[in-house]
Amino acid sequence: MRRSTAVFFGATVVLAGSLTAVPAEAAMTQSPISAQVARVTWKKCGTDATPTLQCGTLKVPLDYAKPRGRQITLALSRVPHTATKYQGPLLVNPGGPGGSGLSLASFVASSLPKAVAAQYDVIGFDPRGVGASRPALDCRPGHFDPVRPDSVPSTPAIEKANLDRAKAFAVACGRKYADLLPYIDTISAVKDMDSIRKSLGAKKINYFGYSYGTYLGQVYAKLFPGEVRRLVLDSIVDPDGVWYDANISQDYAFDARQKALMAWIAKYNATYKLGTDPAKVEARWYAMRGELAKKPAGGKVGASELEDTFIPGGYYNGYWPTLAGAFAAYANSGKTGPLVKAYQSMAAIDASGDNGYSVYAAVQCRDVSWPRDWNQWRKDNWTVYKKAPFMAWNNAWYNAPCAFWPTKSLKPVSVANDRLPPVLLFQATNDAATPYQGGVTVHRLLKHSSLVVEQGGGNHGISLSGNACLDKYLVKYLTDGTVPRGSGVADAVCRKTPDPKPAAAQPAKSALSDGSDAPAAVSDGDTLHRLIGFRG
């Protein structure tokens, strides 16, 4: 694991002069719509929470080398600006690959101070292949139906069963979408983003991305540096690791987050009664895993599904009380109901999840070359497993279709960039999905960037999630381009959001409830992490 180092550095605040040299209204003067890009027609689709929400679609080339060839359709959402001072479109993306961004526009617009949100058209979009965009991918419906083979290939038969699943997924994708897969990749998605910019008549865009959305932002900035006005990247993909090495790094980081959960459970032994020694609590978790491998809970939660259920706890500690309660109920009393409920709420894959995974695989397998020799995967993942067993093989099988993917791979994009205005970066030191080194690397590669660190934080997606210190920097930047400047690795440091208490509000009803309970309190963190999802 690329472990973080302490980053307690002083920071001063400077103004990004290049962003404020002219009034925002003048900077956002509309440019003519390209003859090859139509203007989006917006229709009302408001909700009680966001009554001004609008929806639209945009046709773009499947293959940008053939702009007048086959067209595909992108689904868009917009919360329009209402202030006299207009700072242009703010495109937002929750990550993935494969994450739907339509709902994120409403979240960002409602989470920012009203006076700031009112100055932007907040634009959500489903990237090509995703959600409401057409065509949408679904390579192999039911690929994650329980009960799957044990993720740990402890016997040749178990390894073969997992390999057969991975090959079957890749073959199914190739058969169903041979005409689409060569164009489902990050570069094509980035070109779609610029088509959105053109369709809006904007000379420049503002962009705010989480997780994989930070890689979209990096690549967009590389290909279209002159079209970037403001750029916010939160929980940052390390461009040096896409994508095979990045997944290996995740394995170590998620194992550390699982250990943090075990330590948290031990701290609250009075509630969970699983012991006060984190190592012994963890041993009980692995004992539970062994039992479920033999007899899945409710006929649904085997060893692999148990891992699926606890992986979200590595993304967001707001899920810890639910996970700990399910663990305790099974380990102490043999009750399977809470565990099955947690699996159904946090890990079970529906049609939307099938679509998201299909796009995830299509993008990652196409973006860069992956090892085609399974012996390398076997060697690398057993090496990881010896030190970090929690997610090693689960993650390997999640990405294994790339060893058999039917399309040729692209070359990695060098995102190093000295042509941008000031850029704002957010990174937690203990983030598992996008480990801390990614923030440090991108800070170095983007010459005019500023890095804001949540020291000791382990959540993935940290701004607009309840940390006022982090949000202060985001609001300043979106207001007038102000960024912090420090003398060390980090330009500014914020304390982490406190871990939850056992009696804390459970995750949002829409994310975790089966509908039988009264609605739980919904925090910004709950809502954001439902939108970001997992594996991105």
Side-chain angles (χ1 to χ4, degrees), residues 147-218:
V147 173
R148 307 196 311 276
D150 191 329
S151 65
V152 179
S154 55
T155 69
I158 294 175
E159 181 178 52
K160 182 179 184 300
N162 281 297
L163 274 173
D164 287 347
R165 289 185 67 255
K167 291 176 182 177
F169 188 88
V171 169
C173 268
R175 287 176 178 170
K176 292 180 72 172
Y177 302 115
D179 56 335
L180 295 177
L181 293 185
Y183 310 103
I184 306 295
D185 54 70
T186 296
I187 291 176
S188 296
V190 158
K191 292 178 179 179
D192 290 343
M193 289 167 55
D194 205 56
S195 291
I196 294 172
R197 177 190 65 79
K198 293 175 182 176
S199 76
L200 299 173
K203 290 184 177 180
K204 297 177 182 288
I205 62 168
N206 308 282
Y207 178 79
F208 182 7
Y210 291 95
S211 192
Y212 166 76
T214 68
Y215 188 61
L216 277 179
Q218 295 169 45

Side-chain angles (χ1 to χ4, degrees), residues 97-108:
S100 170
L102 296 180
S103 298
L104 188 62
S106 297
F107 172 80
V108 170

Side-chain angles (χ1 to χ4, degrees), residues 211 297 317 485:
S211 192
N317 61 12
R485 295 293 190 201

Side-chain angles (χ1 to χ4, degrees), residues 24-322:
E25 296 87 340
M28 286 293 103
T29 299
Q30 301 289 287
S31 60
I33 301 294
S34 167
Q36 295 181 3
V37 180
R39 186 182 293 273
V40 179
T41 299
W42 297 103
K43 297 180 180 180
K44 295 180 179 180
C45 60
T47 64
D48 290 342
T50 314
T52 62
L53 185 68
Q54 300 172 342
C55 299
T57 58
L58 175 66
K59 290 190 177 298
V60 298
L62 173 66
D63 180 0
Y64 276 90
K66 300 176 181 177
R68 298 187 183 278
R70 180 181 175 183
Q71 304 289 294
I72 60 174
T73 303
L74 304 179
L76 309 176
S77 62
R78 177 175 74 168
V79 180
H81 74 283
T82 56
T84 302
K85 181 180 180 181
Y86 175 51
Q87 300 209 50
L90 174 63
L91 272 65
V92 296
N93 181 274
S100 170
L102 296 180
S103 298
L104 188 62
S106 297
F107 172 80
V108 170
S110 62
S111 298
L112 289 170
K114 291 182 179 180
V116 177
Q119 298 176 31
Y120 291 91
D121 288 337
V122 184
I123 308 290
F125 63 100
D126 279 355
R128 54 175 55 203
V130 175
S133 292
R134 292 291 179 268
L137 274 60
D138 190 348
C139 295
R140 191 170 182 252
H143 181 70
F144 288 97
D145 286 354
V147 173
R148 307 196 311 276
D150 191 329
S151 65
V152 179
S154 55
T155 69
I158 294 175
E159 181 178 52
K160 182 179 184 300
N162 281 297
L163 274 173
D164 287 347
R165 289 185 67 255
K167 291 176 182 177
F169 188 88
V171 169
C173 268
R175 287 176 178 170
K176 292 180 72 172
Y177 302 115
D179 56 335
L180 295 177
L181 293 185
Y183 310 103
I184 306 295
D185 54 70
T186 296
I187 291 176
S188 296
V190 158
K191 292 178 179 179
D192 290 343
M193 289 167 55
D194 205 56
S195 291
I196 294 172
R197 177 190 65 79
K198 293 175 182 176
S199 76
L200 299 173
K203 290 184 177 180
K204 297 177 182 288
I205 62 168
N206 308 282
Y207 178 79
F208 182 7
Y210 291 95
S211 192
Y212 166 76
T214 68
Y215 188 61
L216 277 179
Q218 295 169 45
V219 177
Y220 182 87
K222 182 66 174 185
L223 299 186
F224 303 101
E227 282 69 52
V228 175
R229 181 173 180 268
R230 291 191 183 138
L231 183 64
V232 182
L233 308 179
D234 184 325
S235 302
I236 300 163
V237 168
D238 187 340
D240 290 346
V242 294
W243 289 111
Y244 185 78
D245 289 346
N247 282 285
I248 296 293
S249 296
Q250 279 186 339
D251 296 341
Y252 290 104
F254 269 100
D255 197 80
R257 289 301 290 161
Q258 175 75 346
K259 284 180 168 56
L261 169 57
M262 298 299 108
W264 182 87
I265 292 172
K267 178 180 178 180
Y268 294 106
N269 180 57
T271 299
Y272 300 113
K273 304 186 188 315
L274 288 166
T276 58
D277 182 342
K280 291 181 179 179
V281 174
E282 184 177 30
R284 294 190 70 178
W285 189 92
Y286 280 102
M288 174 176 66
R289 185 193 185 284
E291 293 172 6
L292 294 173
K294 298 175 182 177
K295 185 180 179 181
K300 294 182 178 180
V301 184
S304 294
E305 289 75 26
L306 179 70
E307 291 165 348
D308 295 346
T309 304
F310 275 73
I311 284 170
Y315 282 83
Y316 176 49
N317 61 12
Y319 300 142
W320 287 3
T322 295

Side-chain angles (χ1 to χ4, degrees), residues 3-23:
R3 294 192 180 275
S4 60
T5 55
V7 288
F8 294 104
F9 303 105
T12 57
V13 173
V14 299
L15 193 64
S18 61
L19 295 181
T20 57
V22 295

